[in-house]
């Protein structure tokens, strides 16, 4: 195999990076368009080039901050690590992760995080760059029912309500660019941002299931009511909701400890 060069991506790489993303992850062309339109404002990425061909890539999204006790610090989020199958097994993925970690730090990340796609990858990230699982979540599944009135929200409206509801809690604050990308991502899959009588939700469709990325309400029961209502408004039969938990399913991995009560929820995976 030819020597592999790892470098930061440039605009001219985007067509090849879109093809790589679709081939490796199976997302739509529309999703890729939204991502690369938003990327320069949210972060950057690195590519692996072998024989003049882009064979892998990884990205860091730095458009988010940890808000805790009135202070904020930049969070880097490693995203979309992918290598063509033909080129796997040669250490390219690991080299990309190390390079994008350094790029994230260069872009002022105080904390670098990721959400591994598979449970086996937590150990891989820890070995490569010292990221350990620091947050967990609880999975809830329920039937959709229109028990509360539901209305769509713009990204700016959602941000206003989200920050108001989380003002006294440690949480991840998304930039305007990151939150707008989140909305466009949700919209690509039939969802968006919503308000109910109990609170706010972010959700999208996976077939007949509403996947609720976030429900912010006064209580757990209110979150379940809101999620069921949003799912019904989207035409889903059931919904899956993840809630912050001190134990349970592994969630965010980080190179620094995060408070177990930290509200994260809105990832791009």
């Amino acid at each position: 195999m030819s020597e592999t060069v790892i470098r930061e991506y440039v605009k001219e790489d985007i067509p090849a990076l879109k093809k790589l993303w679709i081939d490796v992850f199976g997302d739509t062309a529309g999703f890729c368009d939204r991502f690369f339109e938003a990327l320069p404002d949210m972060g950057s990425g690195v590519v692996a080039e072998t024989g003049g061909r882009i064979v892998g890539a990884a990205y860091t999204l730095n458009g988010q901050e940890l808000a805790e006790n009135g202070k904020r610090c930049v969070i880097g989020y490693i995203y979309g690590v992918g290598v063509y199958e033909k080129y796997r097994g040669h250490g390219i993925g690991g080299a990309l992760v190390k390079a994008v970690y350094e790029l994230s730090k260069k872009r002022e990340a105080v904390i670098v995080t990721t959400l591994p796609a598979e449970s086996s990858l937590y150990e891989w990230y820890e070995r490569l760059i010292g990221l350990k699982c620091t947050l967990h979540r609880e999975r809830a599944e329920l039937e959709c029912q229109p028990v509360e009135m539901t209305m769509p929200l713009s990204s700016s409206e959602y941000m206003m309500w989200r920050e108001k509801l989380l003002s006294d809690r440690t949480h991840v604050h998304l930039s305007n660019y990151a939150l707008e990308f989140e909305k466009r991502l949700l919209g690509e899959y039939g969802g968006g941002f919503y308000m109910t009588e109990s609170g706010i939700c972010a959700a999208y469709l996976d077939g007949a299931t509403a996947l609720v990325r976030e429900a912010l309400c006064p209580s757990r029961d209110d979150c379940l009511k809101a999620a069921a209502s949003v799912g019904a408004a989207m035409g889903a039969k059931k919904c899956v909701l993840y809630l912050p938990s001190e134990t349970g399913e592994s969630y965010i991995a980080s190179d620094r400890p995060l408070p177990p009560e930290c509200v994260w929820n809105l990832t791009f995976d």
Side-chain angles (χ1 to χ4, degrees), residues 71-224:
K71 298 180 181 179
R72 290 183 182 179
C73 66
V74 175
I75 295 174
Y77 181 78
I78 294 175
Y79 184 54
V81 180
V83 178
Y84 279 120
E85 187 172 3
K86 176 183 175 180
Y87 294 88
R88 294 173 192 168
H90 300 282
I92 295 175
L96 284 166
V97 166
K98 291 177 181 177
V100 84
Y101 178 83
E102 292 303 320
L103 179 60
S104 188
K105 289 291 189 180
K106 182 180 177 181
R107 295 178 69 90
E108 301 183 344
V110 176
I111 303 170
V112 179
T113 65
T114 195
L115 173 54
E118 300 174 5
S119 58
S120 61
L121 293 177
Y122 284 91
E123 181 180 347
W124 187 66
Y125 277 105
E126 182 175 357
R127 174 168 49 84
L128 284 172
I129 53 175
L131 271 62
K132 298 180 181 181
C133 179
T134 55
L135 294 179
H136 296 80
R137 61 184 180 178
E138 168 196 357
R139 186 181 189 274
E141 183 175 322
L142 58 155
E143 297 299 315
C144 294
Q145 300 179 50
V147 293
E148 295 187 338
M149 292 181 61
T150 301
M151 61 178 287
L153 295 175
S154 68
S155 57
S156 59
E157 289 170 331
Y158 193 84
M159 176 180 281
M160 178 190 72
W161 281 106
R162 189 175 192 271
E163 290 303 305
K164 183 177 180 179
L165 291 166
L166 294 174
S167 61
D168 61 346
R169 301 174 66 182
T170 299
H171 68 281
V172 173
H173 167 83
L174 275 72
S175 70
N176 292 331
Y177 294 116
L179 203 62
E180 180 61 24
F181 171 61
E182 179 80 30
K183 185 177 188 298
R184 297 176 79 177
L185 185 159
L186 297 173
E188 189 69 29
Y189 297 96
F193 293 140
Y194 304 92
M195 171 172 275
T196 74
E197 296 169 57
S198 294
I200 59 173
C201 290
Y204 69 98
L205 288 171
D206 181 11
T209 301
L211 300 180
V212 180
R213 308 290 298 258
E214 174 169 77
L216 297 178
C217 305
S219 69
R220 184 181 187 280
D221 287 344
D222 287 331
C223 286
L224 297 179

Side-chain angles (χ1 to χ4, degrees), residues 243-257:
L243 298 166
S245 173
E246 291 191 14
T247 58
E249 178 182 309
S250 296
Y251 188 37
I252 298 296
S254 169
D255 63 351
R256 293 193 183 187

